[in-house]
Amino acid sequence: MKVIVHGGAGSDPDEPVPRQAVLDDAAETGAAESDVLDAVESAVHVLESSPRFNAGVGGAVQSDGAIRTDAGVMTSDREAGAACSMPGVEHAVSAARVVLEETPHVLVSGDHAVDLAADFEVETGVDLWSEKKREKWADLDDVPDGTPSEHLDWLREKFGGADTVGAVAYDGDEFAAATSTGGRWLALAGRVGDVPQIGSGFFAAPAGAASATGAGEDIAKATLTRRAVRHLESGHDAREAADRAIEEFAELTGSSAGVIVLDSDGNAGSAFNSDAMQTSVSSRTASR
């Protein structure tokens, strides 16, 4: 099993060393699994439970003061599931896996996604606020309590941030990709970005798999992870595929993002055009 994880592409983190330690733990946790879906789910769980990352606990706050989580998962046999706009769901990646394994759908949203997750024993009703996010929200002035258009007027100069978390796994036969996020800071209530969209925040195919992070609206418009895997299908290795995808993304959008990739030779690749993107790679060889 080989696993690569990322902790989001964006500005330089305040505490890169402890963040890197969590990423290393996530990659090692995933690599200890024997199934690729278990690998990406368990790796992302570690990151969703850490307030150092914008997923699960400590996620971004939307314009109405709520934290809503999104995630998507996909395997190389093109099975996929995603869940979005979920208040109180720490492990959004597990809700996405429920959609993949238990429903005939690929995306379930909002309170219905929360109910579905709870029905399959994914914990709901979790307090996702970190101390840092509580302080940041409390420092805001004149928070609106009105219509969506009033929220839009207020947030136009405040909306931002682009971090997500993700993992890609390969066991020599199959790939899986997973991405999870708390969204973007002060996005309009109910906003959903690239993360739960197939081919944007995550993608897997027989040639390899990818997870993306960055400016979600632009990632969705450019279908960044599908673009990266297409380069694998054209014969490029993981590093080349990641580089080419980010170069094309920057040219198309003028925005910033990052992507992690695994290919069928077991190579791991990553690329970003933001200030920083921390990653970690771990592998485990099965005993004979």
Side-chain angles (χ1 to χ4, degrees), residues 10-65:
S11 57
D12 289 317
D14 293 335
E15 298 180 301
V17 174
R19 286 179 96 253
Q20 188 63 49
V22 180
L23 285 163
D24 293 344
D25 182 30
E28 291 168 6
T29 299
E33 301 285 357
S34 56
D35 173 83
V36 289
L37 266 178
D38 290 341
V40 294
E41 182 182 27
S42 61
V44 171
H45 272 193
V46 173
L47 302 174
E48 289 172 327
S49 293
S50 172
R52 296 185 181 280
F53 301 93
N54 179 21
V57 176
V61 185
Q62 295 192 334
S63 66
D64 62 348

Side-chain angles (χ1 to χ4, degrees), residues 54 59-70 84-87 110 129 133 137 140 143-144 151 154-155 158-160 181-193 217:
N54 179 21
V61 185
Q62 295 192 334
S63 66
D64 62 348
I67 298 173
R68 298 177 175 89
T69 58
D70 311 331
C84 67
S85 205
M86 297 181 293
W129 286 81
K133 291 296 166 59
W137 176 258
L140 292 172
V143 177
H151 280 236
W154 175 76
L155 65 83
K158 300 178 174 66
F159 166 67
T181 190
R184 301 183 76 175
W185 176 251
L186 297 186
L188 183 67
R191 175 263 187 189
V192 177
E217 280 73 14

Side-chain angles (χ1 to χ4, degrees), residues 20 37-38 92 102 107 125-126 131 146 214 249 263:
Q20 188 63 49
L37 266 178
D38 290 341
E102 305 293 345
L107 177 61
V126 180
E131 182 178 346
F249 172 82
D263 65 31

Side-chain angles (χ1 to χ4, degrees), residues 1-189:
M1 184 69 70
K2 187 162 192 174
V3 174
I4 180 171
V5 301
H6 70 75
S11 57
D12 289 317
D14 293 335
E15 298 180 301
V17 174
R19 286 179 96 253
Q20 188 63 49
V22 180
L23 285 163
D24 293 344
D25 182 30
E28 291 168 6
T29 299
E33 301 285 357
S34 56
D35 173 83
V36 289
L37 266 178
D38 290 341
V40 294
E41 182 182 27
S42 61
V44 171
H45 272 193
V46 173
L47 302 174
E48 289 172 327
S49 293
S50 172
R52 296 185 181 280
F53 301 93
N54 179 21
V57 176
V61 185
Q62 295 192 334
S63 66
D64 62 348
I67 298 173
R68 298 177 175 89
T69 58
D70 311 331
V73 294
M74 188 171 184
T75 57
S76 47
D77 59 2
R78 299 188 189 276
E79 293 296 317
C84 67
S85 205
M86 297 181 293
V89 178
E90 176 182 350
H91 294 309
V93 67
S94 294
R97 184 171 181 175
V98 168
V99 176
L100 183 154
E101 293 184 326
E102 305 293 345
T103 82
H105 311 306
V106 294
L107 177 61
V108 180
S109 68
D111 291 340
H112 296 294
V114 177
D115 292 341
L116 176 66
D119 212 24
F120 286 90
E121 299 183 348
V122 177
E123 187 178 6
T124 61
V126 180
D127 180 1
L128 301 180
W129 286 81
S130 66
E131 182 178 346
K132 182 177 181 180
K133 291 296 166 59
R134 288 187 192 280
E135 292 173 354
K136 190 174 181 181
W137 176 258
D139 287 341
L140 292 172
D141 296 324
D142 58 12
V143 177
D145 183 20
T147 65
S149 60
E150 291 173 312
H151 280 236
L152 284 170
D153 289 339
W154 175 76
L155 65 83
R156 289 189 193 281
E157 302 302 320
K158 300 178 174 66
F159 166 67
D163 285 352
T164 63
V165 304
V168 180
Y170 180 51
D171 66 0
D173 294 309
E174 295 181 298
F175 292 94
T179 307
S180 179
T181 190
R184 301 183 76 175
W185 176 251
L186 297 186
L188 183 67

